[in-house]
Amino acid sequence: MISIRNLYKRYHNHHGSDWVLKDISIDIPTGVSVGLLGRNGAGKSTLLRIIGGMDTPDRGEVIRDCRVSWPIGISGGFQGSMTGRQNVKFVARVHGSGKDIERIIHFVEEFAEIGKAFDEPVKTYSSGMRSRLSFGLSLAFDFDVFLSDEATSVGDRAFKEKATKAFKERIGQAGLIIVSHGEAILKDLCQAGIWLDQGKAHWFDDINEAIAAYHESTDKPKHNMKIK
Amino acid sequence: MLLPRTPWQVTRAVWHALFLREALARTTMDRMAWFWMLLEPIALIAMMVGIRAVISSGQHIGGVHFIPWLICGLFSFFLFRENMMRSIGAINANKGLFAYRQVKPIDPVFIRCYLEGMLKSFIFILFIIVGMLLEIDLVPADPLGALFIWLLLWMLGIGAGLTLSVLSELVPEIGRVVQLTSMPLILISSVMIPLNYLPHEIQQYLMLNPIVHGVESLRACFFESYRAIQGISIVYLSVWALGSVSLGLLLHLRFAMRLKAQ
């Protein structure tokens, strides 16, 4: 279970700082797949980063009593001068895999299918190879909850198919929190939904209801919109 | 379901992973990195000895032959300086890893300092052994005292490294300024030129520099007959070491998230 308690977040900039997330309290049970919905800039990615511990809230807290992944498919998590294998080893060690390291390396090597490049420095990789590696790496661990920021859309056709299949298998055993604008993906993968609007989070037990609420809010003409 | 790990288990796993990574990077990334690690101090000492031999005719400083005197001073100074300088780049070089929430900005700094101190200690011991074979008097007269001063200097370096690693990330100019000052620092730290060659009015201000206390105390532990500069205090050095480490830890605690988010 991931408990979010009275969470506030804002970013400081030169034009003042409005709350991006304002007093959010939600419990996300383990084993449930949740879709995060909202307009651009509504704070979906921010909330996901805070859940993943990459960012801290200004007030409030996130309590994770299960193993939560890093956002799947982040490209920044590799050291360019080291090989794919060394990077995988590093991440496995950070996550305390112990004797499991060999299995994880083997899994990632198989899954990424980048051949000899696995032993080349990551800075020589193309962006597709990079995302194959990072996607394989995320799936190699037994997390209770996976976080994903539009992650299923990487790689070429064959890899996408394979990735989606592996992804579905994984989240059959674990939970998922996903940010996506692809409503087909959300309907396919998620049961529940969170709709973010004006700094508030609304929980829906059914993803279809969340999508409906999101649609209603965007279809409605806004009073404060001025045509110039 | 796997049980969540305790904070200490997580930290240990991170340190282990970072250590292996840094050690690998240090020893394999350059061509012949090991060779340079040895050659650098040898070349520096050879140059210093050469310069000294040309400039002044005296063979002894404070009752000690100037070659072991210089070796001792250079190693203790570099222990401090390298810890400080390597730390400054540590956070920036490991930015990508902060994506994993287990890794905190302080971890790469700690690991670099640990690795740096171990390497410097290893090379110093190697020098002492070679010195023994060449009959240069480099065996410490008071080994326990020497070890203690060595650790204090290391701690001072870690403290400076911790503090400056935060400050130079928040204000990049600070890193530049520190790099600029590291060269003159060697001149006023009693490493190559004994401070008592200088007039008393200047000397009393230079004695505020804690490195002088470390360098001179270490020499006093190494050479029994050495006449160190007046007013050397281990307590003064210890206060600086403890103070800088505390300040560095505080800064890391205060700015951890800002460093991570940058």
Side-chain angles (χ1 to χ4, degrees):
Chain A
M1 172 122 105
I2 298 171
S3 312
I4 300 168
R5 300 253 169 277
N6 305 96
L7 181 131
Y8 285 77
K9 179 72 185 175
R10 65 178 162 191
Y11 291 104
H12 297 277
N13 55 32
H14 296 298
H15 319 291
S17 40
D18 288 333
W19 293 108
V20 180
L21 302 172
K22 207 162 138 193
D23 198 10
I24 291 179
S25 297
I26 273 181
D27 288 334
I28 303 171
T30 331
V32 176
S33 295
V34 186
L36 274 175
L37 284 158
R39 293 184 305 119
N40 287 335
K44 303 184 292 294
S45 293
T46 302
L47 183 59
L48 197 78
R49 284 166 58 84
I50 291 175
I51 292 173
M54 293 172 71
D55 213 337
T56 42
D58 290 306
R59 285 182 219 161
E61 57 182 341
V62 178
I63 306 159
R64 316 172 191 90
D65 48 11
C66 50
R67 289 176 53 126
V68 182
S69 82
W70 61 90
I72 293 171
I74 45 159
S75 50
F78 293 124
Q79 175 92 339
S81 58
M82 302 209 130
T83 68
R85 188 185 298 277
Q86 285 168 334
N87 270 297
V88 171
K89 257 189 207 170
F90 175 80
V91 177
R93 285 195 190 111
V94 165
H95 287 84
S97 305
K99 291 169 202 136
D100 241 14
I101 288 183
E102 283 307 316
R103 184 192 64 76
I104 288 166
I105 292 171
H106 187 70
F107 177 90
V108 178
E109 196 173 6
E110 290 273 283
F111 191 88
E113 287 174 353
I114 51 175
K116 282 181 192 158
F118 196 54
D119 286 308
E120 297 289 328
V122 170
K123 66 184 169 202
T124 63
Y125 286 20
S126 71
S127 62
M129 283 154 81
R130 221 174 236 264
S131 41
R132 275 168 173 251
L133 188 67
S134 71
F135 198 74
L137 186 55
S138 313
L139 292 183
F141 292 92
D142 292 316
F143 288 118
D144 298 316
V145 178
F146 282 90
L147 306 180
S148 166
D149 201 340
E150 305 262 17
T152 39
S153 56
V154 298
D156 52 27
R157 226 191 91 232
F159 184 74
K160 210 182 273 184
E161 215 167 87
K162 180 179 173 179
T164 316
K165 189 165 160 274
F167 203 57
K168 276 186 189 162
E169 261 168 37
R170 260 277 177 238
I171 60 168
Q173 303 149 22
L176 169 74
I177 301 174
I178 185 168
V179 170
S180 179
H181 287 290
E183 280 162 16
I185 292 178
L186 289 178
K187 279 180 186 164
D188 199 16
L189 292 174
C190 304
Q191 294 110 44
I194 295 173
W195 171 46
L196 282 176
D197 184 47
Q198 292 169 2
K200 295 280 178 196
H202 307 272
W203 171 270
F204 294 88
D205 283 333
D206 185 355
I207 183 71
N208 293 311
E209 284 174 34
I211 292 174
Y214 170 52
H215 280 187
E216 204 178 310
S217 78
T218 48
D219 291 343
K220 192 165 55 187
K222 296 239 168 78
H223 307 296
N224 55 357
M225 233 165 52
K226 286 180 191 135
I227 300 159
K228 283 177 184 168
Chain B
M1 191 180 115
L2 284 160
L3 281 173
R5 292 177 290 166
T6 62
W8 174 235
Q9 277 174 316
V10 175
T11 308
R12 247 185 18 206
V14 170
W15 284 354
H16 174 65
L18 273 172
F19 175 74
L20 289 173
R21 168 204 187 91
E22 285 284 337
L24 201 70
R26 267 313 287 287
T27 50
T28 61
M29 282 305 147
D30 283 342
R31 256 180 301 176
M32 303 195 292
W34 269 108
F35 174 73
W36 287 115
M37 242 173 250
L38 282 175
L39 191 83
E40 232 181 322
I42 295 175
L44 249 167
I45 287 163
M47 274 194 299
M48 298 302 169
V49 169
I51 292 170
R52 241 208 93 79
V54 172
I55 291 177
S56 77
S57 50
Q59 286 284 303
H60 289 79
I61 298 166
V64 176
H65 194 271
F66 79 94
I67 293 180
W69 184 87
L70 252 179
I71 293 177
C72 203
L74 283 171
F75 267 107
S76 47
F77 181 74
F78 285 139
L79 176 71
F80 167 79
R81 199 188 68 175
E82 287 301 299
N83 267 302
M84 179 174 80
M85 300 308 285
R86 295 252 171 215
S87 303
I88 288 178
I91 294 177
N92 205 12
N94 290 291
K95 278 258 148 86
L97 304 178
F98 301 146
Y100 309 106
R101 72 172 165 280
Q102 291 84 352
V103 186
K104 303 275 181 219
I106 198 168
D107 294 327
V109 179
F110 266 146
I111 293 304
R112 279 205 175 178
C113 286
Y114 174 71
L115 187 67
E116 202 52 52
M118 292 310 273
L119 281 172
K120 285 277 173 295
S121 307
F122 175 72
I123 294 172
F124 195 21
I125 289 169
L126 210 67
F127 261 69
I128 292 173
I129 292 170
V130 173
M132 266 161 79
L133 296 175
L134 293 175
E135 293 185 342
I136 299 171
D137 182 28
L138 252 182
V139 183
D142 174 9
L144 219 57
L147 186 68
F148 181 63
I149 303 292
W150 183 253
L151 291 177
L152 272 182
L153 269 166
W154 189 355
M155 208 169 135
L156 186 66
I158 294 172
L162 284 171
T163 308
L164 290 170
S165 63
V166 177
L167 294 181
S168 65
E169 273 307 298
L170 298 176
V171 188
E173 287 78 9
I174 288 177
R176 296 259 168 92
V177 173
V178 171
Q179 241 151 25
L180 274 176
T181 52
S182 81
M183 194 51 208
L185 201 59
I186 198 171
L187 294 174
I188 60 164
S189 297
S190 193
V191 178
M192 289 151 60
I193 310 159
L195 280 194
N196 38 15
Y197 284 18
L198 300 169
H200 182 72
E201 299 89 69
I202 303 176
Q203 197 187 321
Q204 70 188 93
Y205 291 112
L206 294 182
M207 288 297 284
L208 292 174
N209 175 3
I211 308 167
V212 174
H213 295 257
V215 171
E216 286 290 302
S217 306
L218 190 71
R219 281 176 182 145
C221 289
F222 261 74
F223 315 116
E224 220 167 359
S225 57
Y226 183 58
R227 295 185 299 277
I229 306 170
Q230 288 292 309
I232 289 298
S233 159
I234 295 176
V235 174
Y236 184 73
L237 174 66
S238 314
V239 169
W240 264 90
L242 278 173
S244 60
V245 169
S246 312
L247 178 65
L249 290 174
L250 275 173
L251 285 172
H252 266 279
L253 206 60
R254 172 67 181 79
F255 292 110
M257 268 307 139
R258 198 175 316 168
L259 295 175
K260 230 178 155 167
Q262 265 177 355

